[in-house]
Amino acid sequence: MADVIKLPGSEDKNRAKKRTRPAKSDPEKEEQLRQQNVKKLAVLGEEDGSVKRLESLVFGAEDELLERLVEEEEDEQTGGLLLDDEELEQSEEEEEAPHHQELQTSKAAWVDEDDELEEEVDMTHRYRRNLIKGEAEASMTKQKLQQRMREQFQKSMGGAPSWAEPSDQKKKKKKKKAADEEEDDDDEEEEDDLLRRTGNFVASSETLPGGVLRMKKCLPANSARPSEDRLSTVQFHPSAQVVMTAGLDQSISLFQVDGKTNPKIQSIHLERFPVHKARFSRDGETVIATSLRNKMFYLYDMMEGRVAPVHTVRGLNESRVKEFCVCPEGDALLLSGTNGYLHLLTLKTNEVVRSMKINGDVSGVAFSHDGSRVFVNSEDGEVYVWDVRSSRCVSRFSDDGCVKGTSIATSPNGRYLACGSQSGVVNIYFQEACLNSTNPKPLKAVMNLLTSATSLTFNPSSEILAIASRVEDEAVRLVHVPSLTVFSNFPVAKRKVAYRVSCLDFSPHSGFFSLANNKGNAPLFRLLHYKDF
């Protein structure tokens, strides 16, 4: 008989089968056994194994069950109103968190273990390149990528959007907004009134911009009567919408300026008197005209239409009267004589009141805006400042880099002084620096002219300085004084407009600009930045 080989664990399996077999139940025996177990437990305070295993399966271990029961009793006593230290700290941290992070008050419905893995994402992909901040971030974890995308979204939105804010933050914002609305009721009413009206609310700048000067070419100012010879003078009337031209054709003409037809008002002819210079008086009622080789000059009274020659001037020892300047104060002229003399002449009595003298010949004269001082440029390159009332020289300085001076001009606002030289350089100074220093430095040396700077004129707002030379065609420039730069669009390079310029002038409110040239014309330009004449 062969031996029976017992496999390991076979006995255990047989025992398990025996245990699992249902035994015949005897109610009386079971009741007795239960009563015995109850007595034993009451005496010993123990539980039988079956009860213990049942409790461990249902409630867990005995120690854990006791801890749970104790915690539940404490919670019932406190009513659930107190939080432990950890929960309290966590609530404080959540309150201090940024408003764009929502409070997680409930657990997630499920947890995916793959989401918790720190998987590296390739950031060199073309869809993710704009998220990296350096070459070191060639790869990035999913968590960091999510944070980076959140930051970029908030940056593009200007912060966290309202729909991403917690409800308590929304309530706080609503309360604050309601308080602000109550304070700004008046402002809202004004805005409502503004929206009810129609119109152009975009206004142009009051100050003249540099770079390009907005302008429109009009018919020449003297188109109704062009001159037969070179024009020597063009000047706008100080109060009326009138312009005057005069030239070597022995005539003085007045035109109404409208920019379209510029009709002629009046024209007078002066026999054998080629006009070298003509100017309106201070009140605009008289025209003073001088010639090239005559000591005599003319006074034209426009109100009466009478032309009066002035043959002699008491106290004037000059062979000719050629250059002069109208004084801002009173009816007086400052005549430029020979050998550096300057004569102050009053038109009421036609006599010389006082005389002043500089070293060298006078090349240009300009009054200050209030008429109290006069700036005299000499051919030696020096500038003299005279006090008109006392006839005393109060300052003297050398024009920077000038060998021979040719012209001078002062700004109507009393801030700037421009000096022209034979080389074509125009130096722009502060008047205050010229009065307080014997060696002032120019703010700007304008070098756009290649020939002698013979004409300088500031516009009434002191924003434009017109410079010109009568030696060469198109030798005229307009300087933007605030920026000390030259306007790039004047004159036009493709065609000649200005030719050789002998005189420049602006209308009283800078609305028009005109010049006198050797062709007998006075080209007229409308400066669109200025609204008035």
Coordinates of all heavy atoms in Angstrom, one line a residue, residues 215-227 229-236 243-245 255 257 259 262 474 476 478 490-492 495-507 511-527:
M215 N 0.7 124.6 -43.0 CA 0.5 125.8 -43.7 C -0.1 125.6 -45.0 O -0.1 124.5 -45.6 CB 1.8 126.6 -43.8 CG 2.9 125.9 -44.6 SD 4.6 126.6 -44.4 CE 4.2 128.3 -44.7
K216 N -0.7 126.7 -45.6 CA -1.4 126.6 -46.9 C -0.9 127.8 -47.7 O -1.0 128.9 -47.2 CB -2.9 126.6 -46.7 CG -3.6 126.6 -48.0 CD -5.1 126.7 -47.8 CE -5.9 126.8 -49.1 NZ -7.4 126.9 -48.8
K217 N -0.5 127.6 -48.9 CA -0.1 128.6 -49.8 C -1.3 129.3 -50.4 O -2.2 128.7 -51.0 CB 0.8 128.1 -50.9 CG 1.5 129.2 -51.8 CD 2.4 128.6 -52.8 CE 3.1 129.7 -53.6 NZ 2.2 130.6 -54.3
C218 N -1.3 130.7 -50.3 CA -2.4 131.5 -50.8 C -1.9 132.2 -52.0 O -0.8 132.2 -52.4 CB -3.0 132.4 -49.8 SG -3.5 131.6 -48.2
L219 N -2.8 133.0 -52.6 CA -2.4 134.0 -53.7 C -1.5 135.0 -53.1 O -1.6 135.3 -51.9 CB -3.6 134.7 -54.3 CG -4.5 133.9 -55.3 CD1 -5.7 134.8 -55.7 CD2 -3.7 133.5 -56.5
P220 N -0.5 135.5 -53.9 CA 0.4 136.5 -53.3 C -0.4 137.7 -52.8 O -1.5 138.0 -53.2 CB 1.2 136.9 -54.5 CG 1.2 135.7 -55.4 CD -0.1 135.1 -55.2
A221 N 0.1 138.3 -51.7 CA -0.6 139.4 -51.1 C -0.8 140.5 -52.0 O -1.8 141.2 -51.9 CB 0.2 139.9 -49.8
N222 N 0.1 140.8 -53.0 CA -0.1 141.9 -53.9 C -0.5 141.4 -55.3 O -0.1 141.9 -56.3 CB 1.2 142.7 -54.0 CG 2.4 141.9 -54.6 OD1 2.3 140.6 -54.5 ND2 3.4 142.5 -55.1
S223 N -1.2 140.3 -55.4 CA -1.6 139.7 -56.7 C -2.5 140.7 -57.4 O -2.5 140.7 -58.7 CB -2.4 138.4 -56.5 OG -3.5 138.6 -55.7
A224 N -3.2 141.6 -56.8 CA -4.1 142.5 -57.5 C -3.2 143.6 -58.1 O -3.7 144.3 -59.1 CB -5.1 143.2 -56.5
R225 N -2.0 143.8 -57.7 CA -1.1 144.8 -58.3 C 0.4 144.4 -58.0 O 1.0 144.8 -57.1 CB -1.3 146.2 -57.7 CG -0.5 147.3 -58.5 CD -0.6 148.6 -57.7 NE 0.2 149.6 -58.5 CZ 1.5 149.8 -58.4 NH1 2.3 149.0 -57.6 NH2 2.2 150.7 -59.1
P226 N 0.9 143.5 -58.8 CA 2.3 143.1 -58.6 C 3.2 144.2 -58.9 O 2.9 145.1 -59.7 CB 2.5 142.0 -59.7 CG 1.1 141.5 -60.0 CD 0.2 142.7 -59.9
S227 N 4.4 144.2 -58.3 CA 5.4 145.3 -58.5 C 6.2 145.0 -59.7 O 6.4 143.9 -60.1 CB 6.3 145.4 -57.3 OG 7.3 146.3 -57.4
D229 N 9.2 146.0 -60.1 CA 10.6 145.9 -59.7 C 10.7 145.1 -58.3 O 9.7 144.6 -57.8 CB 11.2 147.3 -59.5 CG 12.8 147.3 -59.8 OD1 13.4 146.3 -59.5 OD2 13.3 148.4 -60.1
R230 N 11.9 145.1 -57.8 CA 12.1 144.3 -56.6 C 11.3 145.0 -55.4 O 11.3 146.2 -55.2 CB 13.6 144.3 -56.3 CG 13.9 143.6 -54.9 CD 15.4 143.5 -54.8 NE 16.1 144.8 -54.7 CZ 16.3 145.4 -53.5 NH1 15.8 144.9 -52.4 NH2 16.9 146.6 -53.5
L231 N 10.6 144.1 -54.6 CA 10.0 144.5 -53.4 C 11.0 144.7 -52.3 O 11.8 143.8 -52.1 CB 8.9 143.6 -53.0 CG 7.5 143.6 -53.8 CD1 6.5 142.6 -53.2 CD2 6.9 145.0 -53.7
S232 N 10.9 145.7 -51.6 CA 11.8 145.9 -50.4 C 11.1 145.8 -49.1 O 11.8 145.6 -48.1 CB 12.5 147.3 -50.5 OG 11.5 148.3 -50.5
T233 N 9.8 145.9 -49.1 CA 9.0 145.9 -47.8 C 7.7 145.1 -48.0 O 7.0 145.2 -49.0 CB 8.7 147.3 -47.4 OG1 9.9 148.0 -47.2 CG2 7.8 147.4 -46.2
V234 N 7.4 144.4 -46.9 CA 6.1 143.8 -46.7 C 5.8 143.9 -45.2 O 6.6 143.5 -44.4 CB 5.9 142.4 -47.3 CG1 6.9 141.4 -46.6 CG2 4.5 141.9 -47.2
Q235 N 4.6 144.4 -44.9 CA 4.3 144.5 -43.5 C 2.8 144.5 -43.3 O 2.0 145.1 -44.1 CB 4.8 145.8 -42.9 CG 4.6 145.9 -41.4 CD 5.0 147.3 -40.8 OE1 5.2 148.3 -41.5 NE2 5.2 147.3 -39.5
F236 N 2.3 143.8 -42.3 CA 0.9 143.7 -41.9 C 0.5 144.9 -41.0 O 1.3 145.3 -40.2 CB 0.6 142.4 -41.2 CG 0.6 141.2 -42.1 CD1 1.8 140.5 -42.3 CD2 -0.5 140.8 -42.9 CE1 1.9 139.4 -43.1 CE2 -0.4 139.7 -43.7 CZ 0.7 139.0 -43.8
V243 N -2.4 144.5 -45.5 CA -1.0 144.3 -45.7 C -0.5 145.4 -46.6 O -1.2 145.8 -47.6 CB -0.6 142.9 -46.2 CG1 -1.2 142.7 -47.6 CG2 0.9 142.6 -46.2
M244 N 0.8 145.9 -46.4 CA 1.4 146.9 -47.2 C 2.6 146.3 -47.9 O 3.4 145.6 -47.3 CB 1.8 148.1 -46.3 CG 2.6 149.1 -47.1 SD 3.2 150.5 -46.0 CE 4.3 149.6 -44.9
T245 N 2.8 146.7 -49.2 CA 4.0 146.4 -49.9 C 4.6 147.6 -50.5 O 3.9 148.6 -50.8 CB 3.7 145.4 -51.1 OG1 2.8 146.0 -52.0 CG2 3.1 144.1 -50.5
F255 N -3.4 146.3 -49.4 CA -4.3 145.2 -49.8 C -5.0 144.7 -48.6 O -4.5 144.6 -47.5 CB -3.5 144.1 -50.5 CG -2.6 144.5 -51.7 CD1 -1.3 144.9 -51.5 CD2 -3.2 144.6 -52.9 CE1 -0.5 145.4 -52.5 CE2 -2.4 145.0 -54.0 CZ -1.1 145.4 -53.8
V257 N -6.4 141.5 -46.8 CA -6.0 140.1 -46.7 C -7.2 139.2 -46.4 O -7.8 139.3 -45.4 CB -4.9 139.9 -45.7 CG1 -4.4 138.5 -45.7 CG2 -3.7 140.8 -46.0
G259 N -6.9 135.9 -48.2 CA -6.3 134.6 -48.5 C -6.8 134.1 -49.9 O -6.3 133.1 -50.3
N262 N -7.4 138.8 -52.2 CA -6.6 139.9 -51.6 C -6.7 141.2 -52.4 O -5.8 141.7 -53.1 CB -5.1 139.5 -51.6 CG -4.8 138.2 -50.8 OD1 -5.5 138.0 -49.8 ND2 -3.9 137.4 -51.3
E474 N 15.7 131.1 -52.4 CA 15.1 130.2 -51.4 C 15.9 130.1 -50.1 O 15.8 129.1 -49.4 CB 15.0 128.8 -52.0 CG 14.2 128.7 -53.3 CD 12.8 129.2 -53.2 OE1 12.0 128.7 -52.3 OE2 12.4 130.1 -53.9
V476 N 15.6 131.0 -47.1 CA 14.7 131.4 -46.0 C 14.3 130.2 -45.2 O 14.1 129.1 -45.7 CB 13.4 132.1 -46.6 CG1 12.7 131.2 -47.6 CG2 12.5 132.5 -45.5
L478 N 12.3 128.8 -41.3 CA 11.4 129.1 -40.2 C 11.9 128.2 -39.0 O 11.9 127.0 -39.1 CB 9.9 128.9 -40.5 CG 9.3 129.7 -41.6 CD1 7.9 129.3 -41.8 CD2 9.4 131.2 -41.3
F490 N 9.5 123.9 -45.1 CA 9.5 125.2 -45.7 C 10.9 125.7 -45.9 O 11.7 125.6 -44.9 CB 8.7 126.3 -44.8 CG 8.6 127.6 -45.5 CD1 7.6 127.8 -46.4 CD2 9.5 128.6 -45.2 CE1 7.5 129.1 -47.0 CE2 9.4 129.9 -45.8 CZ 8.4 130.1 -46.7
P491 N 11.3 126.2 -47.0 CA 10.5 126.3 -48.3 C 10.4 124.9 -49.0 O 11.1 124.0 -48.7 CB 11.2 127.3 -49.1 CG 12.7 127.1 -48.7 CD 12.6 126.7 -47.2
V492 N 9.5 124.8 -50.0 CA 9.3 123.6 -50.8 C 10.6 123.4 -51.6 O 11.0 124.3 -52.3 CB 8.1 123.7 -51.6 CG1 7.9 122.4 -52.4 CG2 6.9 123.9 -50.8
R495 N 10.2 123.2 -56.0 CA 9.9 124.4 -56.9 C 10.2 125.7 -56.1 O 10.0 125.7 -54.9 CB 8.4 124.4 -57.4 CG 7.4 124.3 -56.3 CD 6.1 123.9 -56.9 NE 5.1 123.7 -55.8 CZ 4.1 124.6 -55.5 NH1 4.1 125.7 -56.1 NH2 3.3 124.3 -54.6
K496 N 10.6 126.7 -56.8 CA 10.9 128.0 -56.1 C 9.6 128.7 -55.8 O 8.7 128.8 -56.6 CB 11.8 128.8 -57.0 CG 13.2 128.2 -57.1 CD 14.1 129.2 -57.9 CE 15.5 128.6 -58.0 NZ 16.4 129.6 -58.8
V497 N 9.6 129.2 -54.6 CA 8.5 130.0 -54.1 C 8.9 131.4 -53.6 O 8.3 132.4 -53.9 CB 7.7 129.3 -53.0 CG1 6.6 130.1 -52.4 CG2 7.2 127.9 -53.5
A498 N 10.0 131.4 -52.8 CA 10.4 132.6 -52.1 C 11.3 133.5 -53.0 O 11.3 134.7 -52.9 CB 11.1 132.3 -50.8
Y499 N 12.2 132.8 -53.8 CA 13.3 133.5 -54.5 C 14.2 134.3 -53.5 O 14.4 133.8 -52.4 CB 12.7 134.4 -55.6 CG 12.0 133.6 -56.7 CD1 10.6 133.4 -56.7 CD2 12.7 133.1 -57.7 CE1 10.0 132.6 -57.6 CE2 12.1 132.3 -58.7 CZ 10.7 132.1 -58.7 OH 10.1 131.3 -59.6
R500 N 14.6 135.5 -53.9 CA 15.5 136.2 -53.0 C 14.7 137.2 -52.1 O 14.1 138.1 -52.6 CB 16.5 137.0 -53.8 CG 17.5 136.1 -54.6 CD 18.6 136.9 -55.2 NE 19.5 136.0 -56.0 CZ 20.6 136.4 -56.6 NH1 21.0 137.7 -56.4 NH2 21.4 135.6 -57.3
V501 N 14.7 136.9 -50.8 CA 13.9 137.5 -49.9 C 14.6 138.7 -49.2 O 15.7 138.6 -48.8 CB 13.4 136.5 -48.8 CG1 12.6 137.2 -47.7 CG2 12.7 135.4 -49.4
S502 N 13.9 139.9 -49.2 CA 14.5 141.1 -48.6 C 13.7 141.5 -47.4 O 14.2 142.3 -46.6 CB 14.4 142.2 -49.6 OG 13.1 142.5 -50.1
C503 N 12.5 140.9 -47.1 CA 11.8 141.3 -45.9 C 10.8 140.2 -45.5 O 10.3 139.5 -46.4 CB 11.0 142.6 -46.2 SG 10.1 143.3 -44.8
L504 N 10.5 140.1 -44.2 CA 9.6 139.1 -43.7 C 8.7 139.7 -42.7 O 9.1 140.6 -42.0 CB 10.4 137.9 -43.0 CG 11.5 137.2 -43.8 CD1 12.5 136.6 -42.8 CD2 10.9 136.2 -44.7
D505 N 7.4 139.1 -42.6 CA 6.5 139.7 -41.6 C 5.4 138.7 -41.3 O 5.0 137.9 -42.2 CB 5.9 141.0 -42.0 CG 5.3 141.7 -40.8 OD1 5.8 141.6 -39.7 OD2 4.4 142.5 -41.0
F506 N 4.9 138.7 -40.1 CA 3.7 137.9 -39.7 C 2.5 138.8 -39.4 O 2.7 140.0 -39.0 CB 4.1 137.1 -38.4 CG 5.1 136.0 -38.6 CD1 6.4 136.3 -38.5 CD2 4.7 134.8 -38.9 CE1 7.4 135.4 -38.6 CE2 5.7 133.8 -39.1 CZ 7.0 134.1 -39.0
S507 N 1.3 138.3 -39.5 CA 0.1 139.1 -39.2 C 0.0 139.2 -37.7 O 0.7 138.5 -36.9 CB -1.1 138.4 -39.8 OG -1.2 137.1 -39.2
G511 N -1.7 134.4 -38.0 CA -2.5 133.6 -38.9 C -1.9 133.6 -40.4 O -2.2 132.6 -41.1
F512 N -1.2 134.7 -40.7 CA -0.6 134.7 -42.1 C 0.9 135.1 -42.0 O 1.3 135.7 -41.0 CB -1.3 135.8 -42.9 CG -2.7 135.4 -43.4 CD1 -3.8 135.7 -42.6 CD2 -2.9 134.7 -44.6 CE1 -5.1 135.3 -43.0 CE2 -4.2 134.3 -45.0 CZ -5.3 134.6 -44.2
F513 N 1.6 134.6 -43.0 CA 3.0 134.9 -43.1 C 3.3 135.3 -44.5 O 2.8 134.7 -45.5 CB 3.9 133.7 -42.7 CG 5.3 133.8 -43.1 CD1 6.1 134.7 -42.5 CD2 5.9 133.0 -44.0 CE1 7.5 134.8 -42.8 CE2 7.2 133.0 -44.4 CZ 8.0 134.0 -43.8
S514 N 4.1 136.4 -44.7 CA 4.4 136.9 -46.1 C 5.8 137.4 -46.1 O 6.5 137.6 -45.1 CB 3.5 138.1 -46.5 OG 3.7 138.5 -47.8
L515 N 6.3 137.4 -47.4 CA 7.7 137.9 -47.6 C 7.8 138.7 -48.9 O 7.0 138.5 -49.8 CB 8.7 136.7 -47.6 CG 8.3 135.5 -48.5 CD1 8.8 135.6 -49.9 CD2 8.8 134.2 -47.8
A516 N 8.8 139.5 -49.0 CA 9.0 140.4 -50.2 C 10.2 139.8 -50.9 O 11.2 139.6 -50.3 CB 9.2 141.8 -49.8
N517 N 10.1 139.6 -52.3 CA 11.2 139.0 -53.0 C 11.6 139.9 -54.2 O 11.0 141.0 -54.4 CB 10.8 137.6 -53.5 CG 9.7 137.6 -54.4 OD1 9.3 138.6 -55.1 ND2 9.0 136.4 -54.5
N518 N 12.6 139.5 -54.9 CA 13.1 140.3 -56.0 C 12.3 140.1 -57.3 O 12.6 140.8 -58.3 CB 14.6 139.9 -56.3 CG 14.7 138.4 -56.7 OD1 13.8 137.6 -56.4 ND2 15.7 138.1 -57.5
K519 N 11.2 139.3 -57.3 CA 10.4 139.2 -58.5 C 9.2 140.1 -58.4 O 8.3 140.1 -59.3 CB 9.8 137.7 -58.5 CG 10.9 136.7 -58.7 CD 11.7 136.8 -60.0 CE 12.7 135.8 -60.2 NZ 13.5 135.9 -61.5
G520 N 9.1 141.0 -57.4 CA 8.0 141.9 -57.3 C 6.8 141.3 -56.7 O 5.7 141.9 -56.7
N521 N 6.8 140.1 -56.1 CA 5.7 139.4 -55.5 C 5.9 139.4 -54.0 O 7.0 139.4 -53.5 CB 5.5 138.0 -56.1 CG 5.1 138.1 -57.6 OD1 4.4 138.9 -58.0 ND2 5.7 137.1 -58.3
A522 N 4.7 139.2 -53.3 CA 4.7 139.0 -51.9 C 4.0 137.7 -51.6 O 2.8 137.7 -51.3 CB 4.1 140.2 -51.2
P523 N 4.7 136.5 -51.7 CA 4.0 135.2 -51.4 C 3.4 135.2 -50.0 O 3.9 135.7 -49.1 CB 5.2 134.2 -51.5 CG 6.2 134.9 -52.4 CD 6.1 136.4 -52.1
L524 N 2.2 134.7 -50.0 CA 1.4 134.7 -48.8 C 1.1 133.3 -48.4 O 0.7 132.4 -49.2 CB 0.1 135.5 -49.0 CG -0.9 135.6 -47.8 CD1 -0.2 136.5 -46.7 CD2 -2.2 136.2 -48.2
F525 N 1.2 133.0 -47.1 CA 1.0 131.6 -46.5 C 0.0 131.7 -45.3 O 0.2 132.6 -44.5 CB 2.3 131.0 -46.1 CG 3.3 130.9 -47.2 CD1 4.2 131.9 -47.5 CD2 3.3 129.8 -48.1 CE1 5.1 131.8 -48.5 CE2 4.2 129.7 -49.1 CZ 5.1 130.7 -49.3
R526 N -0.9 130.8 -45.3 CA -1.8 130.7 -44.1 C -1.2 129.7 -43.2 O -1.1 128.5 -43.5 CB -3.2 130.3 -44.6 CG -4.2 130.0 -43.5 CD -4.7 131.3 -42.9 NE -5.7 131.0 -41.9 CZ -5.5 130.9 -40.6 NH1 -4.3 130.9 -40.1 NH2 -6.5 130.7 -39.8
L527 N -0.9 130.1 -41.9 CA -0.4 129.2 -40.9 C -1.6 128.6 -40.2 O -2.3 129.3 -39.4 CB 0.5 130.0 -39.9 CG 1.7 130.7 -40.6 CD1 2.6 131.3 -39.5 CD2 2.5 129.7 -41.4

